Amino acid sequence: MIMKKIIHWLPNIITLLNLFFGCISIILLQKQYCIESFMFNLFSIFFDYIDGLLSRFIKNENQFGKELDSMADLISFGFYPSIIVFMLFQTNTMYAWCAFLILICSSLRLARCNLYQNKYNYGLKTPINALFFSSLYVIIFMSNNNTGFMNKVIILSNIQILIMIFLSCYLLISKIHMFSLKFKGKSWKKNNGRYIFIFISIIFLLTLHLIAIPCMILLYIIYSIFYQFYPKKIHYKENTDLCN
């Protein structure tokens, strides 16, 4: 009985680890430990993936777990990128408060996910959105602190940051079907888009290193928009991942 209870609660414990590491990443970010904060947020993304995978494996998907997962995601992937964007503003202007629109739109997305569950498979997922901003912030931090990472100092204007905020918010709550990376067999015909995306991503990783992460996410978004209008669309309904 004890073992069954442990197995039953294991996905929820992993979800709480997602929340725990998300809180640590926020604290480290405020203390200017940018790289460490990024690493802890990667742990949050990892545990967010594992909890859903494990719950499906042990056939223990329930409403309590889904609600808990959304609450953890709101902190790790909603509040966290909002804090990052708030810190990106060069001056303490009223525009900086627009950063928390990301948190608001993330909460709207997560609420819709819980309401419609696996039927809601469109829009940009919150972990991907958080990964974009966290990797971008690390790149800017390393370039501005003369770490030898880049020769050029990166400075984003307030207008550029505002544009990124509104695009992020739109993608989070949009009805754009995101490109599915789940392979349908091994044939080129059924998976050509996925093979091309992976090939380009590998080139990005080998040549751009850390800069490859935001570039890959932008490529993923462009791919998804392209497949909205491509006549031979992939079947997004096959994507049964827990919506977040």
XYZ file of all heavy atoms in Angstrom, residues 124 128 131 178-183 188 190-206 212-227 234 236:
393
model
N 1.599 28.860 -28.578
C 2.957 28.569 -28.104
C 2.913 28.105 -26.654
O 2.288 28.743 -25.804
C 3.822 29.828 -28.218
C 5.311 29.674 -27.915
C 5.988 28.760 -28.937
C 5.989 31.037 -27.907
N 8.347 26.792 -23.765
C 9.106 27.259 -24.933
C 9.243 28.779 -24.887
O 10.315 29.331 -25.179
C 8.420 26.807 -26.239
C 8.394 25.276 -26.319
C 9.135 27.382 -27.458
C 7.643 24.740 -27.523
N 11.795 29.603 -22.273
C 13.138 29.262 -22.741
C 13.675 30.317 -23.697
O 14.867 30.648 -23.660
C 13.118 27.890 -23.423
C 14.458 27.357 -23.941
C 15.455 27.197 -22.801
C 14.254 26.031 -24.671
N 0.763 24.640 -33.430
C 2.213 24.520 -33.390
C 2.679 23.232 -34.066
O 2.044 22.184 -33.943
C 2.714 24.548 -31.944
C 2.613 25.923 -31.308
S 3.742 27.129 -32.058
C 2.604 28.428 -32.531
N 3.766 23.349 -34.758
C 4.364 22.248 -35.513
C 4.711 21.083 -34.585
O 5.401 21.255 -33.588
C 5.616 22.770 -36.208
C 6.363 21.749 -37.013
C 5.840 21.249 -38.184
C 7.608 21.308 -36.601
C 6.536 20.320 -38.934
C 8.312 20.377 -37.346
C 7.774 19.889 -38.515
N 4.187 19.896 -34.892
C 4.438 18.722 -34.055
C 5.751 18.046 -34.450
O 5.997 17.784 -35.630
C 3.292 17.719 -34.196
O 3.591 16.542 -33.478
N 6.587 17.767 -33.464
C 7.870 17.105 -33.726
C 7.790 15.592 -33.542
O 8.812 14.909 -33.581
C 8.950 17.675 -32.791
C 9.345 19.130 -33.082
C 10.303 19.637 -32.019
C 9.965 19.265 -34.462
N 6.587 15.072 -33.326
C 6.419 13.622 -33.195
C 6.493 12.967 -34.569
O 5.741 13.320 -35.480
C 5.084 13.304 -32.531
C 5.091 13.551 -31.032
C 3.847 12.978 -30.396
C 3.928 13.082 -28.885
N 2.739 12.490 -28.239
N 7.400 12.014 -34.709
C 7.600 11.336 -35.986
C 6.506 10.311 -36.239
O 6.083 9.597 -35.325
C 8.970 10.659 -36.021
C 10.101 11.605 -36.318
C 10.607 12.424 -35.330
C 10.645 11.670 -37.589
C 11.639 13.304 -35.595
C 11.682 12.536 -37.876
C 12.180 13.359 -36.874
N 10.611 9.540 -45.177
C 10.880 10.950 -45.484
C 9.593 11.678 -45.858
O 9.390 12.825 -45.477
C 11.886 11.043 -46.619
C 12.003 12.422 -47.216
C 11.402 12.894 -48.342
C 12.766 13.523 -46.684
N 11.733 14.204 -48.566
C 12.576 14.622 -47.559
C 13.582 13.680 -45.569
C 13.171 15.848 -47.353
C 14.175 14.910 -45.363
C 13.972 15.975 -46.237
N 6.481 11.357 -44.897
C 5.596 11.722 -43.790
C 6.265 12.640 -42.770
O 5.591 13.258 -41.952
C 5.085 10.468 -43.085
C 4.160 9.618 -43.939
C 3.674 8.415 -43.144
C 2.710 7.568 -43.976
N 2.235 6.388 -43.204
N 7.591 12.712 -42.829
C 8.326 13.466 -41.804
C 9.324 14.462 -42.376
O 10.233 14.894 -41.659
C 9.075 12.487 -40.888
C 8.163 11.503 -40.205
O 7.424 11.841 -39.297
N 8.214 10.249 -40.648
N 9.171 14.842 -43.643
C 10.190 15.698 -44.262
C 10.362 17.027 -43.513
O 11.474 17.525 -43.347
C 9.876 15.939 -45.743
C 8.469 16.461 -45.974
O 7.738 16.741 -45.028
N 8.096 16.581 -47.222
N 9.241 17.614 -43.069
C 9.335 18.873 -42.328
C 10.104 18.716 -41.027
O 10.894 19.589 -40.645
N 9.895 17.608 -40.344
C 10.584 17.352 -39.078
C 12.074 17.116 -39.299
O 12.903 17.629 -38.545
C 9.953 16.141 -38.386
C 8.485 16.340 -38.038
C 7.871 15.075 -37.459
N 6.462 15.279 -37.153
C 5.472 15.096 -38.012
N 5.747 14.719 -39.261
N 4.226 15.303 -37.657
N 12.421 16.352 -40.339
C 13.831 16.090 -40.645
C 14.558 17.389 -40.987
O 15.690 17.618 -40.540
C 13.952 15.098 -41.802
C 13.752 13.653 -41.418
C 12.751 12.882 -42.008
C 14.574 13.053 -40.465
C 12.571 11.548 -41.656
C 14.403 11.719 -40.113
C 13.393 10.985 -40.712
O 13.220 9.671 -40.351
N 13.909 18.244 -41.786
C 14.533 19.510 -42.179
C 14.733 20.396 -40.953
O 15.789 21.013 -40.779
C 13.671 20.229 -43.237
C 13.664 19.434 -44.548
C 14.183 21.649 -43.489
C 12.662 19.940 -45.578
N 13.704 20.454 -40.086
C 13.800 21.278 -38.872
C 14.954 20.798 -37.984
O 15.741 21.613 -37.482
C 12.486 21.230 -38.095
C 12.524 21.987 -36.806
C 12.365 23.363 -36.797
C 12.742 21.335 -35.603
C 12.405 24.081 -35.607
C 12.788 22.035 -34.411
C 12.622 23.405 -34.414
N 15.073 19.507 -37.778
C 16.142 18.959 -36.937
C 17.508 19.216 -37.553
O 18.472 19.566 -36.860
C 15.915 17.452 -36.696
C 14.677 17.256 -35.804
C 17.136 16.807 -36.057
C 14.271 15.821 -35.627
N 17.607 19.076 -38.869
C 18.872 19.308 -39.566
C 19.321 20.761 -39.403
O 20.481 21.041 -39.069
C 18.723 18.954 -41.051
C 19.952 19.234 -41.870
C 21.070 18.411 -41.763
C 20.001 20.322 -42.742
C 22.217 18.674 -42.508
C 21.138 20.579 -43.498
C 22.248 19.755 -43.374
N 18.385 21.702 -39.604
C 18.720 23.125 -39.443
C 19.081 23.430 -37.994
O 20.010 24.191 -37.715
C 17.546 24.010 -39.908
C 17.293 23.809 -41.409
C 17.826 25.490 -39.622
C 16.055 24.510 -41.925
N 18.366 22.807 -37.054
C 18.638 23.029 -35.631
C 20.028 22.548 -35.250
O 20.730 23.206 -34.464
C 17.592 22.302 -34.782
O 16.296 22.814 -35.030
N 20.453 21.429 -35.803
C 21.805 20.906 -35.530
C 22.866 21.873 -36.053
O 23.877 22.129 -35.383
C 21.980 19.501 -36.149
C 21.104 18.483 -35.400
C 23.448 19.067 -36.100
C 21.055 17.123 -36.060
N 22.626 22.422 -37.238
C 23.559 23.414 -37.800
C 23.642 24.640 -36.892
O 24.723 25.167 -36.624
C 23.127 23.818 -39.228
C 23.270 22.625 -40.179
C 23.956 25.002 -39.729
C 22.748 22.884 -41.574
N 22.477 25.085 -36.406
C 22.446 26.221 -35.472
C 23.279 25.924 -34.224
O 24.079 26.750 -33.776
C 21.006 26.529 -35.056
C 20.232 27.324 -36.074
C 18.855 27.472 -35.955
C 20.857 27.923 -37.153
C 18.132 28.203 -36.884
C 20.154 28.652 -38.092
C 18.774 28.787 -37.956
N 23.088 24.727 -33.647
C 23.794 24.365 -32.414
C 25.302 24.295 -32.619
O 26.080 24.702 -31.752
C 23.271 23.027 -31.883
C 21.874 23.036 -31.264
C 21.384 21.618 -31.025
C 21.878 23.829 -29.960
N 25.726 23.780 -33.778
C 27.156 23.638 -34.059
C 27.835 24.965 -34.366
O 29.030 25.124 -34.097
C 27.357 22.661 -35.230
C 26.973 21.195 -34.971
C 27.107 20.383 -36.243
C 27.839 20.596 -33.860
N 21.912 29.647 -30.590
C 21.073 28.731 -31.354
C 19.699 28.531 -30.710
O 18.714 28.293 -31.412
C 21.772 27.375 -31.485
N 19.592 28.644 -29.376
C 18.325 28.358 -28.690
C 17.217 29.318 -29.120
O 16.167 28.873 -29.595
C 18.521 28.368 -27.161
C 19.476 27.246 -26.753
C 17.173 28.191 -26.454
C 19.810 27.237 -25.277
N 17.397 30.653 -28.994
C 16.322 31.536 -29.477
C 16.102 31.432 -30.985
O 14.975 31.580 -31.457
C 16.791 32.935 -29.073
C 18.253 32.822 -28.837
C 18.486 31.429 -28.360
N 17.185 31.168 -31.734
C 17.047 31.018 -33.187
C 16.197 29.795 -33.536
O 15.359 29.838 -34.444
C 18.424 30.899 -33.843
S 19.384 32.414 -33.822
N 16.400 28.698 -32.808
C 15.618 27.478 -33.034
C 14.151 27.697 -32.692
O 13.264 27.191 -33.381
C 16.200 26.330 -32.208
C 17.513 25.795 -32.742
S 18.386 24.754 -31.540
C 17.189 23.472 -31.221
N 13.896 28.448 -31.631
C 12.506 28.718 -31.241
C 11.823 29.601 -32.285
O 10.666 29.376 -32.646
C 12.460 29.364 -29.840
C 12.944 28.353 -28.792
C 11.043 29.838 -29.514
C 13.136 28.922 -27.414
N 12.550 30.605 -32.794
C 12.000 31.446 -33.863
C 11.730 30.623 -35.115
O 10.694 30.800 -35.777
C 12.968 32.592 -34.176
C 13.079 33.698 -33.132
C 14.188 34.671 -33.498
C 11.754 34.441 -32.969
N 12.636 29.716 -35.434
C 12.448 28.828 -36.583
C 11.218 27.948 -36.381
O 10.436 27.726 -37.308
C 13.696 27.961 -36.774
C 13.624 26.914 -37.894
C 13.500 27.587 -39.258
C 14.863 26.010 -37.860
N 11.040 27.464 -35.163
C 9.884 26.618 -34.825
C 8.574 27.382 -35.025
O 7.598 26.834 -35.570
C 10.023 26.151 -33.376
C 8.846 25.382 -32.841
C 8.603 24.075 -33.241
C 7.971 25.968 -31.930
C 7.523 23.365 -32.746
C 6.892 25.268 -31.434
C 6.671 23.975 -31.838
O 5.600 23.277 -31.342
N 8.559 28.643 -34.614
C 7.354 29.475 -34.777
C 7.080 29.730 -36.256
O 5.934 29.638 -36.716
C 7.519 30.797 -34.012
C 7.559 30.533 -32.491
C 6.375 31.758 -34.343
C 7.994 31.729 -31.673
N 8.140 30.054 -37.005
C 7.989 30.300 -38.447
C 7.488 29.046 -39.157
O 6.609 29.105 -40.022
C 9.329 30.781 -39.058
C 9.679 32.175 -38.519
C 9.259 30.807 -40.581
C 11.098 32.614 -38.836
N 8.037 27.899 -38.778
C 7.604 26.612 -39.331
C 6.111 26.407 -39.068
O 5.369 25.965 -39.951
C 8.402 25.483 -38.675
C 9.270 24.709 -39.635
C 10.390 25.289 -40.211
C 8.978 23.395 -39.956
C 11.194 24.585 -41.083
C 9.774 22.669 -40.821
C 10.882 23.275 -41.387
O 11.670 22.571 -42.249
N 5.690 26.701 -37.849
C 4.293 26.490 -37.470
C 3.364 27.388 -38.283
O 2.303 26.947 -38.740
C 4.120 26.770 -35.974
O 4.915 25.898 -35.207
N 3.752 28.652 -38.458
C 2.951 29.577 -39.251
C 2.908 29.121 -40.708
O 1.854 29.178 -41.363
C 3.511 31.011 -39.142
C 3.366 31.520 -37.692
C 2.793 31.957 -40.103
C 4.077 32.827 -37.437
N 4.042 28.638 -41.222
C 4.111 28.151 -42.597
C 3.146 26.989 -42.810
O 2.425 26.937 -43.814
C 5.547 27.715 -42.911
C 5.683 26.981 -44.221
C 5.638 27.666 -45.424
C 5.868 25.608 -44.248
C 5.770 26.993 -46.628
C 6.003 24.922 -45.451
C 5.949 25.622 -46.635
N 3.086 26.064 -41.863
C 2.234 24.892 -42.009
C 0.751 25.212 -41.830
O -0.097 24.378 -42.130
C 2.656 23.791 -41.025
C 3.720 22.892 -41.602
C 5.059 23.079 -41.285
C 3.390 21.871 -42.478
C 6.043 22.271 -41.820
C 4.358 21.061 -43.021
C 5.688 21.263 -42.687
O 6.667 20.457 -43.226
N 0.452 18.710 -41.619
C 0.631 17.577 -40.728
C -0.567 17.535 -39.793
O -1.262 18.520 -39.605
C 1.935 17.682 -39.917
C 1.986 19.008 -39.161
C 3.149 17.549 -40.785
C 3.175 19.132 -38.254
N -2.034 17.782 -36.535
C -1.721 18.280 -35.195
C -2.499 17.526 -34.136
O -2.076 17.445 -33.001
C -2.044 19.770 -35.098
C -1.186 20.611 -36.000
C -1.623 20.976 -37.255
C 0.081 21.004 -35.594
C -0.822 21.734 -38.096
C 0.888 21.772 -36.430
C 0.422 22.126 -37.678
O 1.213 22.881 -38.502
